[in-house]
Amino acid sequence: MTNPEGLQATGTTRDPEHSQEIADAAAAEFLTIHAVGQGAPIAVVIPALNEVESVADVIRKVPETMCGLAVETLLVDDGSQDGTSEAAAEAGALVCTLPINIGQGAAFRVGYRLARARGARFIGTADADGQFDPQELPVLMAPLVADEADFVNGSRRLGRSYTTDRVRGLGVVVFGTLISVLTGTRITDPANGLRAFKAEVTGAVQLRQTQYQTSELLICTIANGFRVKEVPATMYKREAGESKKGRNWIYGLRFARVIVTTWWAMRPTARLRAAKGKGLW
């Protein structure tokens, strides 16, 4: 049984205050085990909800180094009930376990917070379901290390996609076009699981979404004047587990709502940046 967000109903909260308390407690516990400032220069953050069948393989594919820099993997288990945390730890990830499900967006925020606390200079992301290959992350990381970009987005439209859901494929085109028009920055894939950015980006932008957070992160990053670049990436068909996104039309409506509401909320920031001669939406 799923809730309206397409997530497991058992042990779920969407109350912001309660979610923050849960996130704070989990982060504090994690940092008592994995010391502040002792992490690798690159952290790969992976949120997971009941992905025991695929998570270990995803973690093992994360390169040990990228662009000559050491890498560590931070797995944020968003209230899984199937042994995801244990599988991730056995595969070599540092695991932060949330006792109940608070949403992928909130889980990502926990991961970003821990990556910064551990001293990461760069952060990459991947999905735990195996649809995006972490072995492609060095291609995304290279422009950051070379200081050619602050945020690099993977794009299945510039690369390849082996999924067969034509509705989702059309949605990628439509929502990418919408974000491009609203922000003035060309985005071809607003829902890609592979991203890489300087750690400072996640400290500068304010993120609120519990779900559909990829578009929120993109729009907030652009509004704050960070340099955004897209590179080719590959999307594979899901081989294990079940999607947590719900039906296509519900997913599409909610994704569109996040795009429009985030853009509207960020207009004052974009205007201020424009007034300072740093760009214009």
Side-chain angles (χ1 to χ4, degrees):
M1 181 178 181
T2 58
N3 66 20
E5 290 286 333
L7 298 171
Q8 297 297 319
T10 302
T12 299
T13 182
R14 288 295 178 271
D15 176 72
E17 185 174 348
H18 188 205
S19 294
Q20 191 58 54
E21 292 175 357
I22 292 169
D24 289 346
E29 181 178 354
F30 177 93
L31 292 174
T32 62
I33 302 170
H34 307 290
V36 170
Q38 300 300 309
I42 296 176
V44 175
V45 175
I46 303 175
L49 172 61
N50 295 327
E51 297 288 3
V52 68
E53 296 178 72
S54 58
V55 68
D57 185 54
V58 170
I59 290 168
R60 292 188 185 104
K61 288 181 178 179
V62 176
E64 294 183 0
T65 63
M66 297 185 201
C67 304
L69 300 174
V71 177
E72 67 180 19
T73 302
L74 304 181
L75 187 288
V76 182
D77 186 341
D78 190 21
S80 296
Q81 304 293 316
D82 65 348
T84 292
S85 283
E86 292 79 5
E90 289 177 5
L94 307 183
V95 178
C96 176
T97 302
L98 301 169
I100 63 175
N101 172 246
I102 63 175
Q104 188 192 59
F108 264 124
R109 289 196 294 275
V110 173
Y112 301 155
R113 172 181 173 182
L114 295 176
R116 294 195 308 270
R118 291 272 294 161
R121 293 163 47 200
F122 307 101
I123 299 173
T125 71
D127 290 344
D129 59 16
Q131 287 194 277
F132 296 96
D133 188 350
Q135 293 178 93
E136 295 186 2
L137 278 172
V139 177
L140 282 74
M141 202 64 64
L144 304 177
V145 177
D147 197 27
E148 298 170 352
D150 303 307
F151 185 109
V152 181
N153 191 53
S155 172
R156 76 197 81 178
R157 291 180 61 198
L158 299 179
R160 295 171 295 175
S161 178
Y162 295 106
T163 59
T164 57
D165 191 328
R166 294 184 179 180
V167 175
R168 290 276 172 91
L170 177 61
V172 169
V173 176
V174 171
F175 294 137
T177 301
L178 178 59
I179 291 177
S180 299
V181 170
L182 292 176
T183 66
T185 299
R186 183 172 184 259
I187 298 297
T188 63
D189 191 344
N192 200 279
L194 291 182
R195 297 176 296 276
F197 33 86
K198 294 180 179 179
E200 65 197 65
V201 171
T202 62
V205 302
Q206 188 171 10
L207 303 174
R208 298 183 177 88
Q209 296 297 324
T210 55
Q211 287 294 101
Y212 318 116
Q213 48 73 45
T214 53
S215 58
E216 180 191 34
L217 179 58
L218 270 170
I219 293 170
C220 290
T221 298
I222 294 168
N224 278 277
F226 290 107
R227 298 167 296 168
V228 175
K229 180 177 183 177
E230 282 195 313
V231 300
T234 307
M235 184 174 185
Y236 297 92
K237 185 177 180 180
R238 176 187 271 270
E239 298 294 342
E242 298 180 355
S243 173
K244 316 301 189 300
K245 295 178 180 178
R247 295 181 179 178
N248 282 342
W249 70 271
I250 295 176
Y251 176 63
L253 286 175
R254 288 175 174 162
F255 201 93
R257 181 184 64 189
V258 169
I259 290 174
V260 174
T261 56
T262 302
W263 169 76
W264 185 262
M266 294 306 297
R267 288 176 74 208
T269 299
R271 287 200 192 102
L272 178 61
R273 181 166 59 88
K276 293 180 178 180
K278 297 182 179 179
L280 178 65
W281 272 13

Coordinates of all heavy atoms in Angstrom, one line a residue, residues 159-226:
G159 N 22.7 11.8 -23.9 CA 23.3 10.5 -23.8 C 22.3 9.4 -24.4 O 21.9 9.5 -25.5
R160 N 22.0 8.4 -23.6 CA 21.2 7.3 -24.0 C 20.2 7.0 -22.9 O 20.4 7.2 -21.7 CB 22.0 6.1 -24.3 CG 22.9 6.3 -25.5 CD 23.9 5.1 -25.6 NE 24.8 5.0 -24.4 CZ 25.6 4.0 -24.2 NH1 25.7 3.0 -25.0 NH2 26.4 4.0 -23.2
S161 N 19.0 6.4 -23.4 CA 18.0 6.0 -22.4 C 17.5 4.6 -22.9 O 17.1 4.5 -24.1 CB 16.9 7.0 -22.3 OG 15.9 6.4 -21.4
Y162 N 17.5 3.6 -22.1 CA 17.0 2.3 -22.4 C 15.6 2.0 -21.8 O 15.2 0.9 -21.8 CB 18.0 1.2 -22.0 CG 19.3 1.4 -22.7 CD1 20.4 1.9 -22.1 CD2 19.4 1.0 -24.1 CE1 21.7 2.0 -22.8 CE2 20.6 1.1 -24.7 CZ 21.7 1.6 -24.1 OH 22.9 1.7 -24.8
T163 N 15.0 3.0 -21.2 CA 13.6 2.8 -20.7 C 12.6 2.9 -21.8 O 12.9 3.5 -22.8 CB 13.3 3.9 -19.6 OG1 13.4 5.2 -20.2 CG2 14.3 3.8 -18.5
T164 N 11.5 2.3 -21.6 CA 10.4 2.2 -22.6 C 9.2 3.0 -22.3 O 8.2 2.9 -23.0 CB 10.1 0.7 -22.9 OG1 9.6 0.1 -21.6 CG2 11.2 -0.1 -23.4
D165 N 9.2 3.7 -21.2 CA 8.0 4.5 -20.8 C 8.0 5.8 -21.6 O 8.7 6.8 -21.3 CB 8.0 4.8 -19.3 CG 6.7 5.4 -18.8 OD1 6.0 6.1 -19.6 OD2 6.4 5.1 -17.6
R166 N 7.2 5.8 -22.7 CA 7.1 7.0 -23.6 C 6.6 8.2 -22.9 O 6.9 9.4 -23.2 CB 6.3 6.6 -24.8 CG 7.0 5.6 -25.7 CD 6.2 5.3 -27.0 NE 6.9 4.3 -27.8 CZ 6.4 3.9 -29.0 NH1 5.3 4.5 -29.5 NH2 7.1 3.0 -29.7
V167 N 5.6 8.0 -22.0 CA 5.0 9.1 -21.3 C 6.1 9.8 -20.4 O 6.2 11.1 -20.4 CB 3.9 8.7 -20.4 CG1 3.3 9.9 -19.6 CG2 2.7 8.1 -21.3
R168 N 6.9 9.1 -19.7 CA 8.0 9.6 -18.9 C 9.0 10.3 -19.8 O 9.5 11.4 -19.5 CB 8.6 8.6 -18.0 CG 7.8 8.0 -16.9 CD 7.9 8.9 -15.7 NE 6.9 8.5 -14.6 CZ 7.2 7.6 -13.7 NH1 8.3 7.1 -13.6 NH2 6.2 7.3 -12.8
G169 N 9.3 9.7 -20.9 CA 10.2 10.3 -21.9 C 9.7 11.7 -22.4 O 10.5 12.6 -22.5
L170 N 8.4 11.7 -22.7 CA 7.8 13.0 -23.1 C 7.9 14.0 -22.0 O 8.2 15.2 -22.2 CB 6.4 12.8 -23.6 CG 5.6 14.0 -24.0 CD1 6.3 14.7 -25.2 CD2 4.2 13.7 -24.3
G171 N 7.7 13.6 -20.8 CA 7.7 14.5 -19.6 C 9.1 15.1 -19.4 O 9.2 16.3 -19.1
V172 N 10.1 14.3 -19.7 CA 11.5 14.9 -19.6 C 11.7 16.0 -20.6 O 12.2 17.1 -20.2 CB 12.5 13.8 -19.9 CG1 13.9 14.4 -20.0 CG2 12.5 12.8 -18.7
V173 N 11.2 15.9 -21.8 CA 11.3 16.9 -22.8 C 10.4 18.1 -22.4 O 10.9 19.3 -22.4 CB 10.8 16.4 -24.2 CG1 10.8 17.5 -25.2 CG2 11.7 15.2 -24.6
V174 N 9.2 17.9 -22.0 CA 8.3 19.0 -21.7 C 8.8 19.8 -20.4 O 8.9 21.0 -20.5 CB 6.9 18.5 -21.4 CG1 6.0 19.6 -20.8 CG2 6.3 17.9 -22.6
F175 N 9.2 19.1 -19.4 CA 9.6 19.8 -18.2 C 11.0 20.4 -18.4 O 11.3 21.5 -17.8 CB 9.6 18.8 -17.0 CG 8.3 18.4 -16.6 CD1 8.0 17.0 -16.3 CD2 7.2 19.3 -16.6 CE1 6.7 16.6 -16.0 CE2 5.9 18.8 -16.3 CZ 5.7 17.5 -16.0
G176 N 11.9 19.8 -19.2 CA 13.2 20.4 -19.5 C 13.0 21.7 -20.2 O 13.6 22.7 -19.9
T177 N 12.0 21.7 -21.2 CA 11.7 22.9 -21.9 C 11.1 24.0 -21.0 O 11.5 25.2 -21.1 CB 10.7 22.6 -23.1 OG1 11.3 21.7 -23.9 CG2 10.4 23.9 -23.8
L178 N 10.3 23.6 -20.1 CA 9.6 24.6 -19.2 C 10.7 25.2 -18.3 O 10.7 26.5 -18.1 CB 8.6 23.8 -18.3 CG 7.9 24.7 -17.2 CD1 7.2 25.9 -17.9 CD2 6.9 23.8 -16.4
I179 N 11.6 24.5 -17.7 CA 12.6 25.0 -16.9 C 13.6 25.9 -17.7 O 14.0 27.0 -17.3 CB 13.5 23.9 -16.2 CG1 12.6 23.2 -15.2 CG2 14.7 24.5 -15.6 CD1 13.3 22.0 -14.5
S180 N 13.9 25.5 -18.9 CA 14.7 26.3 -19.8 C 14.1 27.7 -20.1 O 14.8 28.7 -20.0 CB 15.0 25.6 -21.1 OG 15.6 24.4 -20.9
V181 N 12.8 27.7 -20.4 CA 12.1 29.0 -20.6 C 12.0 29.8 -19.4 O 12.2 31.0 -19.5 CB 10.6 28.7 -21.2 CG1 9.8 29.9 -21.2 CG2 10.7 28.0 -22.5
L182 N 11.7 29.2 -18.3 CA 11.5 30.0 -17.0 C 12.9 30.6 -16.5 O 12.9 31.7 -16.0 CB 10.9 29.2 -15.9 CG 9.5 28.7 -16.1 CD1 9.0 27.8 -15.0 CD2 8.5 29.9 -16.2
T183 N 14.0 29.9 -16.7 CA 15.2 30.3 -16.1 C 16.2 30.9 -17.1 O 17.2 31.5 -16.7 CB 15.9 29.1 -15.4 OG1 16.3 28.2 -16.4 CG2 15.0 28.5 -14.4
G184 N 16.0 30.7 -18.4 CA 16.9 31.2 -19.4 C 18.2 30.3 -19.5 O 19.1 30.7 -20.2
T185 N 18.2 29.2 -18.9 CA 19.3 28.2 -18.9 C 18.8 26.9 -19.6 O 17.8 26.3 -19.1 CB 19.9 27.9 -17.5 OG1 20.3 29.2 -17.0 CG2 21.0 26.9 -17.6
R186 N 19.5 26.5 -20.6 CA 19.1 25.3 -21.3 C 19.2 24.0 -20.4 O 20.4 23.7 -20.0 CB 19.8 25.1 -22.6 CG 19.3 23.9 -23.4 CD 20.0 23.8 -24.8 NE 19.4 22.8 -25.6 CZ 20.1 21.6 -25.8 NH1 21.3 21.4 -25.2 NH2 19.5 20.6 -26.5
I187 N 18.1 23.4 -20.1 CA 18.1 22.1 -19.4 C 17.4 21.1 -20.2 O 16.2 21.3 -20.6 CB 17.4 22.3 -18.0 CG1 18.2 23.3 -17.1 CG2 17.3 21.0 -17.3 CD1 19.6 22.9 -16.8
T188 N 18.0 20.0 -20.5 CA 17.4 18.9 -21.3 C 16.9 17.8 -20.5 O 16.0 17.0 -21.0 CB 18.4 18.4 -22.3 OG1 19.5 17.7 -21.7 CG2 18.9 19.5 -23.2
D189 N 17.4 17.6 -19.3 CA 16.9 16.5 -18.4 C 16.8 17.0 -17.0 O 17.7 17.0 -16.2 CB 17.9 15.4 -18.5 CG 17.4 14.1 -17.9 OD1 16.4 14.1 -17.1 OD2 18.0 13.0 -18.1
P190 N 15.6 17.4 -16.6 CA 15.4 17.9 -15.2 C 15.2 16.9 -14.1 O 15.0 17.2 -13.0 CB 14.1 18.7 -15.4 CG 13.3 18.0 -16.4 CD 14.3 17.4 -17.4
A191 N 15.2 15.6 -14.5 CA 15.0 14.5 -13.5 C 16.0 13.4 -13.6 O 15.7 12.3 -13.3 CB 13.6 13.9 -13.8
N192 N 17.2 13.8 -13.8 CA 18.3 12.8 -13.9 C 18.9 12.5 -12.6 O 19.0 13.3 -11.7 CB 19.4 13.3 -14.8 CG 20.3 12.2 -15.4 OD1 21.2 11.7 -14.7 ND2 20.0 11.8 -16.6
G193 N 19.2 11.2 -12.3 CA 19.7 10.8 -11.0 C 21.2 11.1 -10.8 O 21.6 11.1 -9.7
L194 N 21.9 11.3 -11.9 CA 23.3 11.6 -11.8 C 23.5 13.1 -11.9 O 23.2 13.8 -12.8 CB 24.1 11.0 -13.0 CG 24.2 9.5 -13.0 CD1 25.1 9.0 -14.2 CD2 24.8 8.9 -11.7
R195 N 24.1 13.7 -10.8 CA 24.4 15.1 -10.7 C 25.7 15.2 -9.9 O 26.1 14.3 -9.1 CB 23.3 15.9 -9.9 CG 22.0 15.9 -10.6 CD 20.9 16.6 -9.8 NE 20.7 15.9 -8.5 CZ 19.8 14.9 -8.4 NH1 19.2 14.4 -9.4 NH2 19.7 14.3 -7.2
A196 N 26.4 16.3 -10.1 CA 27.6 16.6 -9.4 C 27.7 18.1 -9.2 O 27.3 18.9 -10.1 CB 28.9 16.1 -10.1
F197 N 28.2 18.5 -8.0 CA 28.2 20.0 -7.8 C 29.3 20.2 -6.7 O 29.6 19.4 -5.9 CB 26.9 20.5 -7.4 CG 26.0 19.6 -6.6 CD1 26.1 19.4 -5.2 CD2 25.1 18.7 -7.3 CE1 25.3 18.5 -4.6 CE2 24.3 17.8 -6.6 CZ 24.4 17.7 -5.2
K198 N 29.7 21.5 -6.6 CA 30.6 21.9 -5.5 C 29.8 21.9 -4.3 O 28.6 22.3 -4.2 CB 31.1 23.3 -5.8 CG 32.1 23.3 -7.0 CD 32.6 24.7 -7.3 CE 33.6 24.7 -8.5 NZ 34.1 26.1 -8.8
A199 N 30.4 21.5 -3.2 CA 29.6 21.3 -1.9 C 29.0 22.6 -1.5 O 28.0 22.7 -0.8 CB 30.6 20.8 -0.8
E200 N 29.6 23.7 -1.8 CA 29.1 25.0 -1.4 C 27.8 25.3 -2.0 O 27.0 26.1 -1.4 CB 30.1 26.1 -1.9 CG 30.3 26.3 -3.3 CD 31.5 27.1 -3.8 OE1 32.6 26.6 -3.5 OE2 31.3 28.1 -4.3
V201 N 27.4 24.7 -3.1 CA 26.1 24.9 -3.7 C 25.0 24.5 -2.8 O 24.0 25.3 -2.6 CB 26.0 24.2 -5.0 CG1 24.5 24.2 -5.6 CG2 26.9 24.7 -6.1
T202 N 25.1 23.4 -2.1 CA 24.1 22.9 -1.2 C 24.0 23.7 0.1 O 23.0 23.7 0.8 CB 24.3 21.4 -0.9 OG1 25.5 21.2 -0.2 CG2 24.3 20.6 -2.2
G203 N 25.1 24.4 0.4 CA 25.0 25.3 1.5 C 24.4 26.6 1.2 O 23.9 27.3 2.1
A204 N 24.4 27.0 0.0 CA 23.9 28.3 -0.4 C 22.5 28.3 -0.8 O 21.8 29.3 -0.6 CB 24.8 28.9 -1.6
V205 N 22.0 27.2 -1.4 CA 20.6 27.2 -1.8 C 19.7 26.6 -0.7 O 20.2 25.8 0.1 CB 20.4 26.4 -3.1 CG1 21.3 26.9 -4.2 CG2 20.8 24.9 -2.9
Q206 N 18.5 27.1 -0.6 CA 17.5 26.6 0.4 C 16.6 25.6 -0.3 O 15.8 26.0 -1.2 CB 16.8 27.8 1.0 CG 15.9 27.4 2.2 CD 15.4 28.6 2.9 OE1 15.5 29.7 2.5 NE2 14.8 28.3 4.1
L207 N 16.6 24.4 0.1 CA 15.7 23.4 -0.4 C 14.7 23.0 0.5 O 14.9 22.8 1.7 CB 16.6 22.2 -0.8 CG 17.8 22.4 -1.8 CD1 18.6 21.2 -1.9 CD2 17.2 22.9 -3.1
R208 N 13.4 22.7 0.0 CA 12.3 22.4 0.9 C 11.5 21.2 0.5 O 10.9 20.6 1.3 CB 11.3 23.6 0.9 CG 11.9 24.9 1.4 CD 10.8 26.0 1.4 NE 11.2 27.2 2.0 CZ 11.8 28.2 1.3 NH1 12.1 28.0 0.0 NH2 12.2 29.3 1.9
Q209 N 11.6 20.8 -0.8 CA 10.8 19.7 -1.3 C 11.1 18.4 -0.6 O 12.3 18.0 -0.4 CB 10.9 19.6 -2.8 CG 10.4 20.8 -3.6 CD 8.9 21.1 -3.4 OE1 8.1 20.1 -3.3 NE2 8.6 22.3 -3.3
T210 N 10.1 17.6 -0.3 CA 10.3 16.2 0.2 C 10.4 15.3 -1.0 O 11.1 14.2 -0.9 CB 9.1 15.8 1.1 OG1 7.9 15.9 0.4 CG2 9.1 16.6 2.3
Q211 N 9.8 15.6 -2.1 CA 9.9 14.8 -3.3 C 10.1 15.7 -4.5 O 10.0 16.9 -4.4 CB 8.6 14.0 -3.6 CG 8.4 12.8 -2.6 CD 9.4 11.7 -2.8 OE1 10.4 11.7 -2.0 NE2 9.3 10.9 -3.8
Y212 N 10.5 15.1 -5.7 CA 10.6 15.8 -6.9 C 11.7 16.9 -6.8 O 11.5 18.0 -7.3 CB 9.3 16.4 -7.4 CG 8.2 15.4 -7.2 CD1 7.1 15.7 -6.4 CD2 8.2 14.2 -7.9 CE1 6.1 14.7 -6.2 CE2 7.2 13.3 -7.8 CZ 6.1 13.6 -6.9 OH 5.1 12.6 -6.7
Q213 N 12.7 16.6 -6.0 CA 13.7 17.7 -5.6 C 14.7 18.0 -6.7 O 15.4 18.9 -6.6 CB 14.4 17.3 -4.3 CG 14.9 15.8 -4.3 CD 16.1 15.6 -5.1 OE1 17.1 16.4 -5.1 NE2 16.2 14.6 -5.9
T214 N 14.8 17.2 -7.8 CA 15.8 17.4 -8.8 C 15.5 18.8 -9.5 O 16.5 19.6 -9.7 CB 15.8 16.3 -9.9 OG1 14.5 16.2 -10.4 CG2 16.3 15.0 -9.3
S215 N 14.3 19.1 -9.8 CA 14.0 20.3 -10.5 C 14.2 21.5 -9.5 O 14.6 22.6 -9.9 CB 12.5 20.3 -11.0 OG 11.6 20.1 -10.0
E216 N 13.8 21.3 -8.2 CA 14.0 22.4 -7.2 C 15.5 22.7 -7.1 O 15.9 23.9 -7.1 CB 13.5 21.9 -5.9 CG 13.7 23.0 -4.8 CD 13.4 22.4 -3.4 OE1 13.7 21.3 -3.1 OE2 12.9 23.2 -2.6
L217 N 16.3 21.7 -7.0 CA 17.8 22.0 -6.9 C 18.3 22.7 -8.1 O 19.1 23.7 -8.0 CB 18.5 20.6 -6.7 CG 20.0 20.7 -6.6 CD1 20.4 21.6 -5.4 CD2 20.6 19.3 -6.4
L218 N 17.9 22.3 -9.3 CA 18.3 23.0 -10.5 C 17.9 24.4 -10.6 O 18.7 25.3 -10.8 CB 17.7 22.3 -11.8 CG 18.5 21.1 -12.4 CD1 17.6 20.4 -13.4 CD2 19.8 21.6 -13.0
I219 N 16.6 24.7 -10.3 CA 16.1 26.1 -10.4 C 16.8 27.0 -9.3 O 17.2 28.1 -9.6 CB 14.6 26.1 -10.2 CG1 14.0 25.4 -11.5 CG2 14.1 27.5 -10.1 CD1 12.5 25.1 -11.3
C220 N 16.9 26.5 -8.1 CA 17.5 27.2 -7.0 C 19.0 27.5 -7.3 O 19.5 28.6 -7.1 CB 17.4 26.5 -5.7 SG 15.7 26.5 -5.0
T221 N 19.7 26.5 -7.9 CA 21.1 26.7 -8.3 C 21.3 27.8 -9.3 O 22.1 28.7 -9.2 CB 21.7 25.4 -8.8 OG1 21.6 24.4 -7.8 CG2 23.1 25.5 -9.2
I222 N 20.4 27.8 -10.4 CA 20.5 28.8 -11.4 C 20.1 30.2 -10.8 O 20.8 31.1 -11.1 CB 19.5 28.4 -12.5 CG1 20.0 27.1 -13.2 CG2 19.4 29.6 -13.6 CD1 18.9 26.5 -14.2
A223 N 19.1 30.2 -10.0 CA 18.7 31.5 -9.4 C 19.8 32.2 -8.6 O 19.9 33.4 -8.5 CB 17.4 31.3 -8.6
N224 N 20.6 31.3 -8.0 CA 21.7 31.8 -7.1 C 23.0 32.2 -7.9 O 24.0 32.5 -7.3 CB 22.0 30.9 -6.0 CG 21.0 31.0 -4.8 OD1 21.2 31.8 -4.0 ND2 20.0 30.2 -4.8
G225 N 22.9 32.0 -9.2 CA 24.0 32.5 -10.1 C 25.1 31.5 -10.3 O 26.2 31.8 -10.8
F226 N 24.9 30.2 -9.9 CA 26.0 29.2 -10.1 C 26.0 28.8 -11.5 O 25.0 28.8 -12.2 CB 25.7 28.0 -9.2 CG 25.9 28.3 -7.7 CD1 24.9 28.4 -6.8 CD2 27.2 28.4 -7.2 CE1 25.1 28.6 -5.5 CE2 27.5 28.7 -5.9 CZ 26.4 28.8 -5.0

